[in-house]
Amino acid sequence: MNNQVISEKNNITKKDFRKTFWRSFTLLNSFNYERMEALGYMFSIMPELKKIYKDDPEGLKQAYHRHMEAFNMTIAPAPFVMGISVAMEEQAKEDPNMDRSSINAVKVALMGPLSGIGDTFFWGIFRIIACSIGVSFAKQGNILAPLIMLILFNIPTFLTRWYGLKIGYAQGSKILSDLQESGKMQLFTYCAGIVGVMAIGCMIASQINITSPLHFSIAGQKVVIQTYLNQIMPKLLPLLTTLGIFWAIKKQIKVTKIITFIVVIGFILGVFGIIGG
């Protein structure tokens, strides 16, 4: 049913969860350096808060203030925390002795580990894989390349948002405490990091095409530099170029300067036949 009741005591329905799901896309719309994503977070769970505190205007006002405290997290897993917040707000309404500060304490505790997982998967894996596939189609002249990239990236993002919200409301706090106590959270994050680095390596090898056509003769034998570079390590020049750019970024050199340097040096080395593509 489109209006299936999820919480009978507060008449929270699936429709309310759909509102929160779509509102969660506004998390970054009002980002600021004082409260970060707080306004978007509070706006996202507002439909549930209004029903929980429908007969308690002062309690609703306090809930709004609670969720206006600073919050910052990778966007995709944020609805998982929203689900937990809604469940805790229901508990707070039912139990006058509950420490309300624990609601924000849980949010703060989840920001670090879930952002680590979210950054690794969504920015370090899904984005790179989606972009590499999209670029592959674009290089073939396929006009659907941008659409393919967006679809590949947003499918896991949408699924994580929707099911994260539902799971967070139903059993999120229990799942997270189990992962933390068993030590699986660190293992999960570590393995995800390995997969992310592998994806970056694959993208370097497949998308950055730098070779050296430089050659010379020794005793009548033609020596091609690229042949020896391939024997040392295939795709060595793309790797060295990427590491050089990464080093420059770490040194906080402006991106415009890096791009200008790449264009100038690439042009000079290309004119003299030292590198090619």
Side-chain angles (χ1 to χ4, degrees):
M1 295 176 60
N2 289 334
N3 209 27
Q4 176 185 353
V5 176
I6 296 175
S7 172
E8 293 185 2
K9 57 186 176 183
N10 292 302
N11 195 32
I12 294 176
T13 65
K14 194 172 182 179
K15 183 178 180 180
D16 297 317
F17 269 33
R18 283 199 302 272
K19 289 180 180 178
T20 296
F21 168 77
W22 290 113
R23 286 178 176 221
S24 70
F25 287 86
T26 67
L27 268 178
L28 290 176
N29 286 16
S30 59
F31 185 92
N32 60 81
Y33 288 105
E34 180 185 5
R35 301 180 186 274
M36 299 183 181
E37 300 168 353
L39 183 58
Y41 191 97
M42 187 270 288
F43 176 72
S44 298
I45 63 174
M46 192 180 290
E48 290 86 357
L49 292 180
K50 285 182 175 179
K51 287 194 171 181
I52 294 171
Y53 296 99
K54 59 182 180 296
D55 55 352
D56 184 5
E58 185 60 30
L60 179 61
K61 185 187 300 183
Q62 293 175 5
Y64 286 165
H65 280 291
R66 270 196 297 275
H67 296 290
M68 277 300 293
E69 293 190 19
F71 179 82
N72 189 32
M73 177 184 286
T74 305
I75 302 301
F80 175 79
V81 185
M82 293 176 187
I84 295 177
S85 292
V86 171
M88 294 187 73
E89 289 290 353
E90 284 192 307
Q91 184 181 353
K93 177 66 184 305
E94 294 296 317
D95 182 6
N97 297 319
M98 177 182 169
D99 182 7
R100 267 64 171 173
S101 65
S102 64
I103 298 175
N104 272 322
V106 169
K107 288 168 60 178
V108 172
L110 295 179
M111 285 194 298
L114 288 185
S115 289
I117 293 173
D119 286 343
T120 300
F121 275 94
F122 292 94
W123 299 127
I125 297 178
F126 296 143
R127 181 187 61 162
I128 291 175
I129 292 175
C131 287
S132 61
I133 294 175
V135 168
S136 297
F137 277 94
K139 289 173 68 175
Q140 298 172 16
N142 194 321
I143 61 173
L144 296 179
L147 182 61
I148 292 171
M149 184 274 287
L150 289 172
I151 290 174
L152 290 176
F153 177 76
N154 281 295
I155 285 176
T157 302
F158 273 59
L159 291 175
T160 301
R161 283 174 181 265
W162 175 247
Y163 287 103
L165 176 63
K166 296 177 66 175
I167 293 172
Y169 177 77
Q171 51 188 352
S173 55
K174 180 179 183 301
I175 291 175
L176 208 68
S177 62
D178 290 344
L179 284 174
Q180 293 281 16
E181 291 172 5
S182 64
K184 291 179 181 178
M185 178 70 78
Q186 292 181 342
L187 177 62
F188 186 66
T189 305
Y190 178 74
C191 293
I194 294 175
V195 176
V197 173
M198 290 175 61
I200 293 172
C202 292
M203 189 173 181
I204 292 171
S206 61
Q207 301 300 332
I208 302 177
N209 187 25
I210 302 176
T211 58
S212 176
L214 191 64
H215 64 275
F216 52 89
S217 297
I218 298 179
Q221 294 292 325
K222 185 178 181 181
V223 178
V224 181
I225 296 297
Q226 187 61 46
T227 301
Y228 290 94
L229 291 177
N230 289 340
Q231 292 175 1
I232 297 172
M233 179 188 289
K235 300 293 182 176
L236 178 60
L237 291 180
L239 177 61
L240 293 176
T241 302
T242 303
L243 292 176
I245 295 171
F246 178 71
W247 174 85
I249 293 173
K250 292 284 284 186
K251 290 294 183 179
Q252 297 185 346
I253 299 175
K254 291 183 178 180
V255 175
T256 51
K257 291 184 178 180
I258 297 174
I259 294 174
T260 302
F261 180 82
I262 292 172
V263 171
V264 172
I265 296 299
F267 178 78
I268 294 173
L269 295 180
V271 168
F272 286 97
I274 297 175
I275 65 168

